[in-house]
Amino acid sequence: MEKTSILILGAGELGMPVILNLAKKTKDYSSVMVTVLLREATIHSEDTDKKKNITEIREAGVELLAGDLSAPSSELIAIFKNYDAIVSCTGYGSGAGGFQLKLANAVLDAGVKRYFPWQFGVDFEVIGRGSAQDLFDEQLDVRELLRSQTLTKWVIISTGMFTSYLFEPFFGVLDMEKKAINAIGGWDTAVTVTTPEDIGKLTAEIFFAEPPIENEIVYIGGDTITYEQLADIAEELSGQKYERTLSDMTEITNDLKNDPTNFVKKYRSIFGAGRGVSWPMETTFNLKNGITTTSAKQWARDNIDWKSMNK
Ligand SMILES: NC(=O)c1ccc[n+]([C@@H]2O[C@H](COP(=O)([O-])OP(=O)(O)OC[C@H]3O[C@@H](n4cnc5c(N)ncnc54)[C@H](OP(=O)(O)O)[C@@H]3O)[C@@H](O)[C@H]2O)c1
């Protein structure tokens, strides 16, 4: 591989596994350099988690570059010009209002050869414009912008939801203390989920795939399951019967109408509708390439203390 310098933007929940897996993979390529851009204050933060991340990044042989992505575009372009590839792991961090579009424009104006935008989520195109989650429209704007040019090759990685969310109280599906499950949309509504660790591992594989992946949306997934299958998993692992209730789309739509700015209710509306939030495992990059990933059941077995839930 010719000399390549990669800049990763951000080092959060998704960014850390992406950084560590790309760094591990670059050990096979002496000509590849990985740098992570973070705010100066974050690099020198006293926060325990951030300090731990900075240490891990340094130990992986990755360079740190101080920078603030909320700076004017001209400053971003001056930084981005020094890199061949940019992988964005910023999250919605700086919120709506054009942040993702500003990054994409700066990448194109800097003439970066390859861009992985922050689109590690659902299939925004199938969901379409004007959905409950208004942030998705900007993700579609970014796709349009990338498709409108040929200088910068782009790769979008569709991951579905983080696997852990299925089991977290905020999502409002599983209540492990009350032994209850509330399906959203329908019992056969499916969702694709992937762990951040698998996203990191697969992003590194996709980055270095031969022949190179260019101008493509790559689907990955740790699992695609229905709420009925999720209920079965909870019952099997806990050894307890779960009370099963269903919130249909009428209920979910009314909930959102009564609380229209609620972030979780927006997500429940998207996932309940069941469009663009799942894809068959056979279509995933990981399955096609024989790369093992963590299923929802395996994640739940490894990360939840089911015995203590039964006390
Ligand atoms: N498919 C999914 O379900 C999915 C996918 C991705 C993320 N998420 C969720 O969405 C949330 C975000 O996760 P994430 O990993 O994408 O983001 P995150 O954990 O919020 O990390 C964002 C990273 O970008 C950096 N950053 C943000 N704004 C910046 C700026 N202006 N200049 C420089 N650096 C900046 C942050 O640095 P600082 O430390 O300085 O803020 C941080 O390192 C999490 O709650 C995650 O669980 C879900």
Side-chain angles (χ1 to χ4, degrees), residues 67-77 79 94 99 102-103 106:
D68 190 335
L69 297 168
S70 58
S73 296
S74 56
E75 286 179 35
L76 300 188
I77 294 167
I79 296 173
S94 301
F99 180 65
K102 176 182 122 173
L103 285 188

Side-chain angles (χ1 to χ4, degrees), residues 19-291:
I19 294 165
L20 298 179
N21 280 282
L22 270 172
K24 197 156 90 188
K25 197 92 183 145
T26 56
K27 296 216 164 31
D28 304 339
Y29 306 89
S30 59
S31 56
V32 181
M33 274 267 308
V34 183
T35 304
V36 175
L37 179 145
L38 284 171
R39 284 183 267 240
E40 180 92 55
T42 303
I43 296 176
H44 299 109
S45 171
E46 287 304 317
D47 175 89
T48 318
D49 289 341
K50 289 192 176 160
K51 265 177 124 164
K52 185 171 159 274
N53 286 350
I54 298 294
T55 306
E56 270 188 77
I57 291 169
R58 289 208 164 106
E59 283 175 357
V62 171
E63 294 288 319
L64 282 161
L65 173 72
D68 190 335
L69 297 168
S70 58
S73 296
S74 56
E75 286 179 35
L76 300 188
I77 294 167
I79 296 173
F80 293 172
K81 266 185 189 322
N82 301 315
Y83 296 91
D84 301 301
I86 294 186
V87 182
S88 178
C89 300
T90 58
Y92 285 116
S94 301
F99 180 65
Q100 304 299 333
L101 209 48
K102 176 182 122 173
L103 285 188
N105 269 308
V107 167
L108 301 191
D109 290 346
V112 177
K113 285 190 227 130
R114 205 163 181 226
Y115 184 42
F116 287 61
W118 189 83
Q119 299 240 347
F120 300 92
V122 292
D123 192 330
F124 305 115
E125 259 141 336
V126 172
I127 293 167
R129 287 186 183 271
S131 73
Q133 188 44 277
D134 32 5
L135 293 168
F136 289 0
D137 282 7
E138 191 179 337
Q139 300 290 61
L140 288 170
D141 293 339
V142 170
R143 291 184 181 199
E144 268 182 23
L145 177 70
L146 295 175
R147 286 182 174 128
S148 72
Q149 53 82 53
T150 51
L151 190 69
T152 299
K153 309 276 195 249
W154 51 270
V155 182
I156 285 169
I157 304 181
S158 287
T159 61
M161 188 169 75
F162 283 177
T163 312
S164 58
Y165 288 7
L166 282 178
F167 301 90
E168 282 179 22
F170 84 87
F171 198 53
V173 171
L174 263 186
D175 186 332
M176 288 177 277
E177 275 172 20
K178 289 198 180 125
K179 312 276 177 293
I181 178 161
N182 171 239
I184 49 177
W187 286 105
D188 57 355
T189 303
V191 54
T192 294
V193 292
T194 315
T195 65
E197 290 70 28
D198 283 339
I199 295 173
K201 181 170 81 175
L202 292 165
T203 299
E205 292 298 328
I206 291 164
F207 191 99
F208 289 104
E210 284 294 345
I213 297 175
E214 290 176 350
N215 303 337
E216 215 182 288
I217 299 169
V218 182
Y219 293 84
I220 64 171
D223 213 342
T224 292
I225 62 165
T226 63
Y227 294 107
E228 179 159 33
Q229 287 168 327
L230 181 64
D232 293 344
I233 289 172
E235 287 188 345
E236 185 188 326
L237 295 183
S238 67
Q240 308 269 316
K241 204 91 196 118
Y242 269 58
E243 186 200 345
R244 301 185 186 211
T245 56
L246 170 70
S247 288
D248 63 14
M249 279 315 285
T250 310
E251 181 185 327
I252 289 170
T253 309
N254 282 336
D255 275 355
L256 181 62
K257 225 182 252 164
N258 295 330
D259 191 3
T261 56
N262 186 306
F263 203 73
V264 171
K265 288 181 182 167
K266 288 183 187 181
Y267 267 107
R268 280 171 64 84
S269 163
I270 301 272
F271 282 96
R275 274 192 314 277
V277 296
S278 72
W279 35 88
M281 287 299 287
E282 301 77 63
T283 64
T284 61
F285 174 87
N286 38 299
L287 211 92
K288 286 190 212 163
N289 288 279
I291 302 169

